[in-house]
């Protein structure tokens, strides 16, 4: 399943996640905008990881004084995708 999430409170504009419908393993993550090296690094590290594990590692991470970060927004995108799968 591919899911697009509009990021809020960060430099990046959106996160596109592709997760397996049955196993919830992350096939791909694309973060549009933001710090290129950091967002590419996060994307590569998440491939092959279960969405639930990725969420637990990234949820609540802040960027400087901001209340959120690109990794936190990825966790929100994954949560939304899983919610969509469970409908």
């Amino acid at each position: 399943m591919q899911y697009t999430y509009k990021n809020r409170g960060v430099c990046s504009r959106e996160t596109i996640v592709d997760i397996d419908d049955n196993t919830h393993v992350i096939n791909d993550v694309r973060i549009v905008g933001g710090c290129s090296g950091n967002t590419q690094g996060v994307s590569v590290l998440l491939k092959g990881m279960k969405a639930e594990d990725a969420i637990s590692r990234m949820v609540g991470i802040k960027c400087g004084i901001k209340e959120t970060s690109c990794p936190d927004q990825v966790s929100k995108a994954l949560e939304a995708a899983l919610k969509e799968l469970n409908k």
Side-chain angles (χ1 to χ4, degrees):
M1 165 198 200
Q2 187 170 338
Y3 185 85
T4 301
Y5 179 83
K6 298 294 181 191
N7 295 344
R8 296 169 189 91
V10 293
C11 301
S12 59
R13 295 182 299 281
E14 67 182 10
T15 299
I16 304 159
V17 295
D18 181 6
I19 62 174
D20 184 274
D21 294 4
N22 299 311
T23 64
H24 300 172
V25 169
I26 300 167
N27 297 318
D28 191 38
V29 175
R30 286 181 286 142
I31 303 168
V32 180
C35 303
S36 180
N38 290 335
T39 57
Q40 287 180 63
V42 168
S43 297
V44 169
L45 290 170
L46 294 177
K47 286 183 186 177
M49 185 181 289
K50 286 196 63 130
E52 294 86 350
D53 294 335
I55 291 166
S56 70
R57 290 179 183 210
M58 296 184 300
V59 69
I61 293 175
K62 297 181 180 184
C63 182
I65 61 169
K66 296 178 184 178
E67 290 298 313
T68 188
S69 65
C70 289
D72 184 52
Q73 291 296 297
V74 171
S75 75
K76 293 182 184 325
L78 290 167
E79 286 174 339
L82 290 177
K83 189 174 184 178
E84 188 71 25
L85 274 176
N86 291 325
K87 280 187 175 180

